[in-house]
Amino acid sequence: MIITIDGPAGAGKSTVARMLADRLGFEFLDTGAMYRAVAWACVDRRIDLNDADAVSETVAEISIQFESERIVCNGRDVTTEIRSAEASHAASIVAAVPAVRLEMVRLQRESAAGHDYVTEGRDQGSEVFPDSECKFFLTADPKERAARRLLELQSRGQSGSMEEVLAQIIDRDERDRSRDIGPLIKADDAIEVDTSRKAIEQVVEYLEQTSRERLAISASKS
Ligand code: DC
């Protein structure tokens, strides 16, 4: 079974998805890391991120592998590099290029085929796995999302101010929501969960309970 978790930056998707996958014994797919890896490959080649043809050529040759907690792109461990504020910005630009989305969606479907997966991103329930029987859409107040991102950056020894991070989050939300293909959107059948002022444990608890109910329904049908 595929469980999809979508939502804007800083809504808590990665942490929650990882914990949920752990509790259910499912695999976990961080699709944002894939778009970040594409952006890294473009920057590494010194490509203009707004040159869609050059970005498309880069993604045609890309190799992305997840090795437990690490992500390896074109043979290089980019786990830390892809988490900077610059990488976030670059990822949201390349994510609007149609060839990039086509290839990432293909890779996501290919890796999930025949597996139990918790997958998180922007378009997982709406576009990539529309038949998923268990979809969540996480939201949170932009100021709270910015505060979480700031803490995350600081925990990695990176700097930034609250104003800067909030502006970046609003800018990225806008780009993610307004692109033509695979925009950030809640699937009609996704359950919306507002994580503002909620402890992670409380959110995961709710998602786990709902997922187990859906799993039971799905098992009784087959
Ligand atoms: O979740 P994240 O912050 O790591 O994602 C980085 C960027 O990748 C985000 O700005 C939009 C893009 N993205 C996407 O377009 N589709 C996805 N399924 C996941 C991420």
Side-chain angles (χ1 to χ4, degrees), residues 1 8 13-14 22 24 27 43 70-71 79 82 98 100 111 119-120 132 148 168 173 178 181-182 211 215 220-222:
M1 186 164 112
K13 301 184 303 288
S14 291
D22 239 35
L24 298 173
E27 288 172 76
V43 171
R70 322 290 307 168
I71 177 158
T79 316
I82 61 167
V100 172
S111 47
T119 169
E120 66 100 340
S132 157
R148 291 176 188 165
Q168 284 160 1
D173 281 358
S178 61
I181 312 175
S211 303
L215 269 170
S220 70
K221 279 192 208 154
S222 54

Side-chain angles (χ1 to χ4, degrees), residues 66-81:
F66 286 96
E67 296 178 3
S68 78
E69 297 290 292
R70 322 290 307 168
I71 177 158
V72 176
C73 180
N74 295 341
R76 170 128 162 234
D77 184 335
V78 295
T79 316
T80 310
E81 275 168 87

Side-chain angles (χ1 to χ4, degrees), residues 165-178:
V165 177
L166 180 60
Q168 284 160 1
I169 284 226
I170 291 171
D171 177 55
R172 205 139 68 88
D173 281 358
E174 174 55 27
R175 217 183 347 264
D176 288 346
R177 285 200 172 99
S178 61

